[in-house]
Amino acid sequence: MEPIKLTPSLGVDPSLRLRSPGEVLLHDYMRPEAMNPAQLARRTGIPARHIKEVLSGSRRVTPKYAIRLAVVLRTSALYWLVLQARYDLAREERGIATTAAALDPPSHRS
C-alpha cells in the first residue's frame, strides 16, 4: 500500500460536485446493492437510526462509523472521513462567505 502524501496545499478538484457522505453512501453503495438502512445496520453494527441520520445529513460519519462502513463496503475508512471533512469544510466556507457578505454591504457610488 502506498502512503498518502500530505502537503499543505492538498485539495480536491473543485469541478467535482460536492456530495455529502450520506448521498455517496445511498447512491453509490446502498442503491446499487438494493440495500436499505436496516440491512446496512445489521452488516455494520451501526444503529439503523444513525444510518438514516447519516443519509439525511443530520449525523456525521465518525472514525468508528468510517471503519465499519469500510469493512462492509470494501472501501477505506479514510475515504469516508475525507468525504465528511470535505463536506464540512465546504459548508463552513459557505457560512463564512455568507456572514462576510452580510457584514460588508456593497458600496454605493455617486
Side-chain angles (χ1 to χ4, degrees):
M1 178 186 285
E2 290 290 319
I4 297 171
K5 183 179 178 185
L6 296 177
T7 65
S9 61
L10 181 66
V12 176
D13 183 350
S15 68
L16 296 175
R17 185 175 76 80
L18 180 66
R19 298 191 304 160
S20 70
E23 186 178 351
V24 172
L25 179 60
L26 179 64
H27 295 288
D28 296 0
Y29 294 93
M30 292 175 68
R31 282 194 177 155
E33 297 294 324
M35 189 182 330
N36 64 42
Q39 292 167 321
L40 185 59
R42 281 192 295 277
R43 293 176 66 188
T44 61
I46 300 170
R49 179 180 84 255
H50 292 191
I51 290 173
K52 290 176 187 175
E53 291 170 351
V54 167
L55 295 175
S56 73
S58 61
R59 181 177 290 270
R60 301 178 75 252
V61 174
T62 63
K64 180 179 178 179
Y65 288 175
I67 292 167
R68 290 170 183 237
L69 290 170
V71 168
V72 170
L73 302 174
R74 294 178 297 283
T75 64
S76 73
L78 184 59
Y79 172 70
W80 296 104
L81 294 176
V82 168
L83 284 174
Q84 185 66 60
R86 179 176 182 238
Y87 186 72
D88 291 347
L89 285 168
R91 286 180 56 196
E92 200 62 35
E93 285 172 350
R94 269 191 236 130
I96 290 170
T98 301
T99 302
L103 295 175
D104 188 25
S107 61
H108 296 287
R109 293 185 185 163
S110 303

